[in-house]
Amino acid sequence: MASERSRWLAKIGLYTIGGAVSSVLVGAALGALGRLLPAPVTAHGGTILLAVAALAVAREVGVLRFPLPQPRRQTRDVWSKVFPAPVAALLWGFDLGLTVTTRFTFAGTWVLLLVPVLTANPAVGAVLLLAHWLGRALPVWLSPLLMSSPTSTPQVYDAIDARERIFRSTQVLGLAMLTAFWLSQL
């Protein structure tokens, strides 16, 4: 039992580290990319962010319906068949931490990715995407508390699906908070 828990902690630790590394790299790269934008774009960064945030909120509350521009793939399940479990966990974390290589669940991801570009600050981008990744990894760390047994994963997914509206509302609240923070910096 103790060795099983140690193996689980090692895998989830590697998953979290992999995602943290890739999130920091993507955030810093987006901030650096922002430095290449012409002055007129950066001068209107607040307006651009507000417009994208408004579209994201409208989509999340159902006022507008449009497909998100995003990759059409999830992480590679083949990794668990090809690599030892710790390596697969590291790869899954790294892939998900990249943010832009897998499907998005909520429109707010585009707002999140836009902030580092518009601030043109690699440090802001690195910290912001790292915080986003840690928020995504936290449910995995908490999953043993949500599951009544090791085989209850389908029930947990069903419970999450049944509460999608709560998650969408949380997404809208997050977008509002991010937008308010952005506006307070102007």
Side-chain angles (χ1 to χ4, degrees):
M1 181 79 154
S3 66
E4 189 176 312
R5 178 172 281 158
S6 294
R7 283 193 302 271
W8 182 83
L9 285 171
K11 287 186 278 190
I12 191 63
L14 287 168
Y15 169 82
T16 305
I17 289 167
V21 168
S22 60
S23 290
V24 165
L25 292 172
V26 168
L30 289 171
L33 178 69
R35 292 181 175 177
L36 302 175
L37 293 175
V41 173
T42 55
H44 296 291
T47 305
I48 294 167
L49 184 78
L50 289 174
V52 173
L55 283 171
V57 167
R59 183 182 186 277
E60 295 305 321
V61 299
V63 172
L64 293 176
R65 294 194 183 276
F66 57 90
L68 290 175
Q70 63 180 319
R72 295 280 180 214
R73 79 178 230 357
Q74 297 290 48
T75 59
R76 305 288 185 213
D77 63 344
V78 72
W79 291 337
S80 66
K81 296 168 183 69
V82 175
F83 299 107
V87 174
L90 181 71
L91 290 171
W92 281 323
F94 191 87
D95 191 22
L96 289 171
L98 290 170
T99 309
V100 296
T101 59
T102 58
R103 292 182 62 87
F104 303 161
T105 306
F106 300 109
T109 303
W110 281 109
V111 178
L112 177 79
L113 294 170
L114 193 56
V115 170
V117 174
L118 294 175
T119 61
N121 186 327
V124 167
V127 169
L128 184 62
L129 266 72
L130 175 61
H132 177 256
W133 168 249
L134 294 175
R136 289 182 72 187
L138 183 61
V140 179
W141 283 92
L142 297 176
S143 63
L145 301 174
L146 302 172
M147 297 171 60
S148 57
S149 75
T151 60
S152 66
T153 302
Q155 290 85 0
V156 172
Y157 284 142
D158 290 344
I160 290 169
D161 286 343
R163 291 169 179 80
E164 180 184 356
R165 188 174 198 142
I166 293 170
F167 291 109
R168 291 213 177 272
S169 298
T170 304
Q171 178 74 7
V172 169
L173 177 62
L175 284 167
M177 291 171 54
L178 183 63
T179 303
F181 173 76
W182 180 272
L183 289 172
S184 73
Q185 302 303 306
L186 297 177

Short mmCIF file of all heavy atoms in Angstrom, two decimals, residues 44-55 110-115 118 178-183:
data_model
loop_
_atom_site.label_atom_id
_atom_site.label_comp_id
_atom_site.label_asym_id
_atom_site.label_seq_id
_atom_site.Cartn_x
_atom_site.Cartn_y
_atom_site.Cartn_z
N HIS A 44 -3.42 49.44 -28.23
CA HIS A 44 -4.83 49.08 -28.10
C HIS A 44 -5.03 47.72 -27.44
O HIS A 44 -6.07 47.09 -27.60
CB HIS A 44 -5.49 49.09 -29.48
CG HIS A 44 -5.49 50.45 -30.11
ND1 HIS A 44 -6.25 51.49 -29.64
CD2 HIS A 44 -4.80 50.94 -31.16
CE1 HIS A 44 -6.04 52.56 -30.37
NE2 HIS A 44 -5.14 52.26 -31.30
N GLY A 45 -4.03 47.30 -26.68
CA GLY A 45 -4.08 45.99 -26.03
C GLY A 45 -5.28 45.82 -25.12
O GLY A 45 -5.91 44.77 -25.11
N GLY A 46 -5.62 46.87 -24.38
CA GLY A 46 -6.78 46.79 -23.48
C GLY A 46 -8.07 46.56 -24.24
O GLY A 46 -8.90 45.74 -23.85
N THR A 47 -8.22 47.26 -25.34
CA THR A 47 -9.43 47.11 -26.16
C THR A 47 -9.49 45.72 -26.77
O THR A 47 -10.55 45.08 -26.78
CB THR A 47 -9.45 48.17 -27.27
OG1 THR A 47 -9.33 49.46 -26.67
CG2 THR A 47 -10.70 48.09 -28.10
N ILE A 48 -8.36 45.24 -27.24
CA ILE A 48 -8.30 43.90 -27.83
C ILE A 48 -8.66 42.85 -26.78
O ILE A 48 -9.48 41.96 -27.03
CB ILE A 48 -6.91 43.62 -28.43
CG1 ILE A 48 -6.66 44.54 -29.62
CG2 ILE A 48 -6.76 42.16 -28.82
CD1 ILE A 48 -5.21 44.57 -30.09
N LEU A 49 -8.05 42.97 -25.59
CA LEU A 49 -8.33 42.00 -24.53
C LEU A 49 -9.80 42.04 -24.13
O LEU A 49 -10.43 40.99 -23.96
CB LEU A 49 -7.45 42.25 -23.31
CG LEU A 49 -7.64 41.22 -22.21
CD1 LEU A 49 -6.91 39.94 -22.57
CD2 LEU A 49 -7.20 41.73 -20.88
N LEU A 50 -10.36 43.24 -23.98
CA LEU A 50 -11.77 43.35 -23.60
C LEU A 50 -12.68 42.75 -24.66
O LEU A 50 -13.68 42.08 -24.32
CB LEU A 50 -12.14 44.81 -23.34
CG LEU A 50 -11.54 45.42 -22.08
CD1 LEU A 50 -11.85 46.91 -22.01
CD2 LEU A 50 -12.04 44.71 -20.84
N ALA A 51 -12.36 42.95 -25.92
CA ALA A 51 -13.18 42.39 -27.00
C ALA A 51 -13.14 40.86 -26.98
O ALA A 51 -14.18 40.20 -27.08
CB ALA A 51 -12.71 42.93 -28.35
N VAL A 52 -11.96 40.30 -26.83
CA VAL A 52 -11.83 38.84 -26.80
C VAL A 52 -12.50 38.29 -25.54
O VAL A 52 -13.20 37.26 -25.59
CB VAL A 52 -10.34 38.41 -26.88
CG1 VAL A 52 -10.19 36.92 -26.67
CG2 VAL A 52 -9.76 38.82 -28.23
N ALA A 53 -12.33 38.96 -24.41
CA ALA A 53 -12.98 38.52 -23.17
C ALA A 53 -14.50 38.58 -23.30
O ALA A 53 -15.21 37.68 -22.84
CB ALA A 53 -12.52 39.37 -21.99
N ALA A 54 -15.02 39.63 -23.93
CA ALA A 54 -16.48 39.75 -24.12
C ALA A 54 -16.99 38.61 -25.01
O ALA A 54 -18.05 38.02 -24.71
CB ALA A 54 -16.82 41.10 -24.73
N LEU A 55 -16.26 38.28 -26.06
CA LEU A 55 -16.64 37.15 -26.92
C LEU A 55 -16.61 35.83 -26.14
O LEU A 55 -17.50 35.00 -26.28
CB LEU A 55 -15.72 37.06 -28.13
CG LEU A 55 -15.97 38.04 -29.26
CD1 LEU A 55 -14.84 37.96 -30.29
CD2 LEU A 55 -17.31 37.77 -29.92
N TRP A 110 -8.26 31.45 -24.56
CA TRP A 110 -7.73 32.44 -25.51
C TRP A 110 -7.41 33.76 -24.82
O TRP A 110 -6.43 34.42 -25.16
CB TRP A 110 -8.70 32.65 -26.67
CG TRP A 110 -8.58 31.55 -27.67
CD1 TRP A 110 -9.48 30.56 -27.92
CD2 TRP A 110 -7.46 31.29 -28.51
NE1 TRP A 110 -8.99 29.70 -28.88
CE2 TRP A 110 -7.74 30.13 -29.26
CE3 TRP A 110 -6.23 31.91 -28.71
CZ2 TRP A 110 -6.86 29.59 -30.18
CZ3 TRP A 110 -5.35 31.38 -29.64
CH2 TRP A 110 -5.67 30.23 -30.35
N VAL A 111 -8.21 34.14 -23.86
CA VAL A 111 -7.94 35.37 -23.11
C VAL A 111 -6.65 35.20 -22.31
O VAL A 111 -5.78 36.06 -22.31
CB VAL A 111 -9.12 35.74 -22.19
CG1 VAL A 111 -8.81 36.99 -21.38
CG2 VAL A 111 -10.39 35.92 -23.00
N LEU A 112 -6.53 34.06 -21.66
CA LEU A 112 -5.33 33.76 -20.89
C LEU A 112 -4.08 33.82 -21.76
O LEU A 112 -3.06 34.40 -21.36
CB LEU A 112 -5.46 32.37 -20.27
CG LEU A 112 -4.27 31.88 -19.48
CD1 LEU A 112 -4.27 32.51 -18.10
CD2 LEU A 112 -4.30 30.37 -19.38
N LEU A 113 -4.15 33.28 -22.96
CA LEU A 113 -2.99 33.27 -23.85
C LEU A 113 -2.69 34.66 -24.42
O LEU A 113 -1.55 34.96 -24.77
CB LEU A 113 -3.23 32.29 -25.01
CG LEU A 113 -3.31 30.82 -24.62
CD1 LEU A 113 -3.80 29.98 -25.79
CD2 LEU A 113 -1.98 30.32 -24.09
N LEU A 114 -3.69 35.51 -24.48
CA LEU A 114 -3.52 36.84 -25.03
C LEU A 114 -2.82 37.79 -24.06
O LEU A 114 -2.08 38.68 -24.49
CB LEU A 114 -4.90 37.40 -25.40
CG LEU A 114 -4.98 38.63 -26.25
CD1 LEU A 114 -4.23 38.45 -27.56
CD2 LEU A 114 -6.44 38.98 -26.52
N VAL A 115 -3.02 37.59 -22.76
CA VAL A 115 -2.45 38.52 -21.77
C VAL A 115 -0.93 38.62 -21.89
O VAL A 115 -0.39 39.73 -21.95
CB VAL A 115 -2.89 38.16 -20.34
CG1 VAL A 115 -2.12 38.95 -19.30
CG2 VAL A 115 -4.39 38.40 -20.18
N LEU A 118 -0.01 40.65 -25.00
CA LEU A 118 -0.32 42.08 -24.92
C LEU A 118 0.52 42.82 -23.88
O LEU A 118 0.76 44.01 -24.02
CB LEU A 118 -1.81 42.28 -24.66
CG LEU A 118 -2.72 41.83 -25.81
CD1 LEU A 118 -4.18 41.97 -25.41
CD2 LEU A 118 -2.43 42.60 -27.08
N LEU A 178 -9.92 38.44 -14.41
CA LEU A 178 -8.74 38.73 -15.23
C LEU A 178 -8.91 40.07 -15.95
O LEU A 178 -7.98 40.87 -15.99
CB LEU A 178 -8.51 37.60 -16.24
CG LEU A 178 -7.28 37.72 -17.13
CD1 LEU A 178 -6.01 37.70 -16.30
CD2 LEU A 178 -7.27 36.59 -18.14
N THR A 179 -10.09 40.32 -16.46
CA THR A 179 -10.36 41.58 -17.16
C THR A 179 -10.28 42.76 -16.18
O THR A 179 -9.69 43.79 -16.50
CB THR A 179 -11.73 41.53 -17.84
OG1 THR A 179 -11.74 40.41 -18.74
CG2 THR A 179 -12.01 42.81 -18.61
N ALA A 180 -10.83 42.58 -14.99
CA ALA A 180 -10.77 43.66 -13.98
C ALA A 180 -9.32 43.94 -13.59
O ALA A 180 -8.92 45.09 -13.44
CB ALA A 180 -11.59 43.27 -12.75
N PHE A 181 -8.53 42.87 -13.44
CA PHE A 181 -7.12 43.07 -13.12
C PHE A 181 -6.43 43.84 -14.25
O PHE A 181 -5.67 44.76 -14.01
CB PHE A 181 -6.42 41.72 -12.90
CG PHE A 181 -4.94 41.85 -12.75
CD1 PHE A 181 -4.39 42.32 -11.59
CD2 PHE A 181 -4.08 41.51 -13.80
CE1 PHE A 181 -3.02 42.47 -11.45
CE2 PHE A 181 -2.71 41.64 -13.68
CZ PHE A 181 -2.18 42.13 -12.49
N TRP A 182 -6.72 43.43 -15.49
CA TRP A 182 -6.12 44.11 -16.65
C TRP A 182 -6.47 45.59 -16.65
O TRP A 182 -5.62 46.45 -16.84
CB TRP A 182 -6.57 43.43 -17.94
CG TRP A 182 -6.02 44.06 -19.17
CD1 TRP A 182 -6.55 45.10 -19.89
CD2 TRP A 182 -4.79 43.76 -19.81
NE1 TRP A 182 -5.74 45.42 -20.94
CE2 TRP A 182 -4.65 44.63 -20.90
CE3 TRP A 182 -3.79 42.82 -19.57
CZ2 TRP A 182 -3.56 44.58 -21.76
CZ3 TRP A 182 -2.71 42.78 -20.42
CH2 TRP A 182 -2.61 43.66 -21.50
N LEU A 183 -7.74 45.89 -16.43
CA LEU A 183 -8.19 47.28 -16.43
C LEU A 183 -7.56 48.08 -15.30
O LEU A 183 -7.27 49.26 -15.46
CB LEU A 183 -9.71 47.34 -16.34
CG LEU A 183 -10.47 46.89 -17.58
CD1 LEU A 183 -11.96 46.82 -17.31
CD2 LEU A 183 -10.17 47.80 -18.77
#
